[in-house]
Amino acid sequence: MRDDKKIIAGLDIGTSKVVTLVAEVNPNNSMEIIGFGIQPSRGLKKGVVVNIEATVNSIQKSVEEAELMAGCEINSVYAGIAGSHIRSINSHGVVAIKDDEVSIEDIDRVLDAARAIAIPADQRILHVLPKEFVIDSQEGIKEPIGMSGVRLETRVHLVTGAVSAAQNIVKCIERCGLIAEEVVLEQLASSYAVLTEDERELGVCLVDIGAGTSDIAIFKEGAIQHTSVIPIAGDQVTNDIAISLRTPTPSAEEIKVRYGYALAQLAPPDDYIEVQGVGDRPSKRMASQTLAEVIEPRYEELFGLIREELNRSGLEEIIAGGVVLTGGSSKIRGSVELAEEVFHLPVRVGKPQKVQGLKEVVSNPTYATAVGLLLYGKAELDDTNKREEAKETSTALFKIKSWFKGNF
């Protein structure tokens, strides 16, 4: 480890790749990425571990590559989790405020009350995300510590995931000799990296399109309101290309990345591409327009499913900030234009922000989740420091009050 500097590591275990990022927190509290490792993912399907040995091998290689570049040892990581097993529900908690002033202990108690709901035995709570606090009927409070009152309420968004899926991720990490600091919902992590404060306040829908799943998170008034997962993403597009153009899957992926358009009308009409044949069959020339006509229906279907999810959640009217696309499969040309046609809202591709360091990482939507895991880890460290400071202050005030009571 480097002297006098905090090291944080993020581990994005995706369907197509495993990414490890290492960052150091500088004395001015800024974060700089100092190393990354990327390896093909061999043991996951749609965000869920299906082969532990292969996943461990991919993680190990990715971590070693990141350690070599960063020049330090990684001991613990913040890991992402995704998949169609993810569920979410809104909940509510109420407690009486001790000593007429809201303390950290009061907040912990009210959050515990909010999470005390019945969930299926095969699910575990991953996150308790406060949307707002209410003190004696005064709503819309974000930071209640120190405020006076009698009754403290909170409205929270609970995210749950399959116990087995989370355990398998932790098991793979521990088999690599690492500690899993926390398993973090991937779209929540991505939101730390790509969303602005204005978008969070105004209302925005974040769509993280990976290889195996497309992860949705809706924000309003600075807090997460809804999360869901759609099991259609980049791998389905690659599969469509492989079948339609009769080419091997690796070749289909390369063609998609290099020549693909999500909106057929944007494809150059006179451009042709070489398509590798299957087995020993010869390659053939094909129009870019034909490729785009294969890709567009799948992206249109995906955006249609996302719009249906927005309708089902009842939150379509609150996302005045529009839609932010991120993840590796959001980079395809024409995705923004097609999404704007489907959603009738402003759309942009979100790149990681709020970090310094390696340009190939901080300017690429592919690494949004991994960068977000670093920022999530930093936020957790900051929160722990604040809690310790608040407890020290509270102890000091208690001693002063006791001294005055005993001497006057």
Side-chain angles (χ1 to χ4, degrees), residues 27-166:
N28 62 0
N29 211 33
S30 65
M31 180 180 281
E32 182 179 358
I33 296 172
I34 57 173
F36 81 99
I38 180 167
Q39 290 290 323
S41 180
R42 303 295 184 198
L44 275 86
K45 187 175 182 180
K46 294 190 181 297
V48 177
V49 176
V50 293
N51 185 325
I52 283 184
E53 285 301 326
T55 304
V56 168
N57 190 40
S58 295
I59 292 172
Q60 191 78 57
K61 288 179 179 177
S62 174
V63 169
E64 287 172 358
E65 191 179 331
E67 286 178 330
L68 190 63
M69 183 182 287
C72 68
E73 185 182 354
I74 298 171
N75 297 316
S76 61
V77 295
Y78 288 86
I81 187 170
S84 53
H85 61 90
I86 298 292
R87 302 282 183 272
S88 66
I89 188 171
N90 292 319
S91 184
H92 179 255
V94 186
V95 296
I97 298 171
K98 290 183 178 179
D99 303 324
D100 301 324
E101 188 177 290
V102 179
S103 65
I104 287 174
E105 287 76 15
D106 292 320
I107 291 175
D108 288 342
R109 286 191 301 114
V110 79
L111 291 177
D112 284 341
R115 68 186 292 156
I117 63 168
I119 61 171
D122 62 343
Q123 293 271 307
R124 62 174 263 193
I125 293 175
L126 298 172
H127 298 288
V128 182
L129 305 168
K131 296 199 284 186
E132 68 168 347
F133 292 92
V134 181
I135 298 176
D136 298 344
S137 301
Q138 183 182 342
E139 299 184 348
I141 297 169
K142 300 295 181 188
E143 297 289 344
I145 292 177
M147 296 184 70
S148 298
V150 176
R151 170 190 169 101
L152 176 65
E153 301 175 55
T154 186
R155 299 185 180 108
V156 303
H157 185 69
L158 294 177
V159 179
T160 69
V163 173
S164 58

Side-chain angles (χ1 to χ4, degrees), residues 388-404:
E388 288 174 357
E389 288 171 11
K391 284 179 181 177
E392 287 173 7
T393 304
S394 176
T395 303
L397 288 172
F398 177 77
K399 287 179 179 177
I400 291 168
K401 284 180 184 176
S402 299
W403 186 85
F404 271 100

Side-chain angles (χ1 to χ4, degrees), residues 23 56 97 110 122 134 136 151 178 218-219 235 252 274 280 282 291 294 296 320 349 356 363 390 406:
V56 168
I97 298 171
V110 79
D122 62 343
V134 181
D136 298 344
R151 170 190 169 101
L178 302 168
I218 300 172
F219 291 81
D235 278 358
E274 286 288 324
D280 57 0
L291 174 63
V294 174
E296 182 178 338
V349 173
Q356 303 165 349
S363 62

Side-chain angles (χ1 to χ4, degrees), residues 125-264:
I125 293 175
L126 298 172
H127 298 288
V128 182
L129 305 168
K131 296 199 284 186
E132 68 168 347
F133 292 92
V134 181
I135 298 176
D136 298 344
S137 301
Q138 183 182 342
E139 299 184 348
I141 297 169
K142 300 295 181 188
E143 297 289 344
I145 292 177
M147 296 184 70
S148 298
V150 176
R151 170 190 169 101
L152 176 65
E153 301 175 55
T154 186
R155 299 185 180 108
V156 303
H157 185 69
L158 294 177
V159 179
T160 69
V163 173
S164 58
Q167 284 177 340
N168 284 334
I169 286 174
V170 172
K171 187 181 293 183
C172 290
I173 292 167
E174 289 176 346
R175 287 268 294 273
C176 294
L178 302 168
I179 297 167
E181 291 280 0
E182 194 169 337
V183 177
V184 183
L185 183 67
E186 290 198 350
Q187 58 263 51
L188 176 64
S190 297
S191 74
Y192 277 76
V194 304
L195 295 185
T196 65
E197 291 303 317
D198 289 342
E199 286 172 331
R200 287 170 176 269
E201 284 295 328
L202 192 58
V204 68
C205 175
L206 173 68
V207 183
D208 187 342
I209 312 173
T213 61
S214 295
D215 308 322
I216 303 169
I218 300 172
F219 291 81
K220 175 71 173 177
E221 295 176 353
I224 198 163
Q225 306 290 330
H226 180 75
T227 52
S228 62
V229 176
I230 291 174
I232 292 178
D235 278 358
Q236 278 70 33
V237 179
T238 302
N239 191 51
D240 288 351
I241 294 169
I243 292 170
S244 298
L245 305 190
R246 295 181 177 86
T247 188
T249 301
S251 174
E253 177 68 23
E254 185 183 350
I255 289 169
K256 179 185 76 174
V257 172
R258 292 183 63 184
Y259 306 109
Y261 284 84
L263 195 57

Side-chain angles (χ1 to χ4, degrees), residues 232-233 236-237 240 294-303:
I232 292 178
Q236 278 70 33
V237 179
D240 288 351
V294 174
I295 295 172
E296 182 178 338
R298 184 63 82 174
Y299 270 88
E300 198 169 11
E301 178 194 12
L302 171 60
F303 293 148

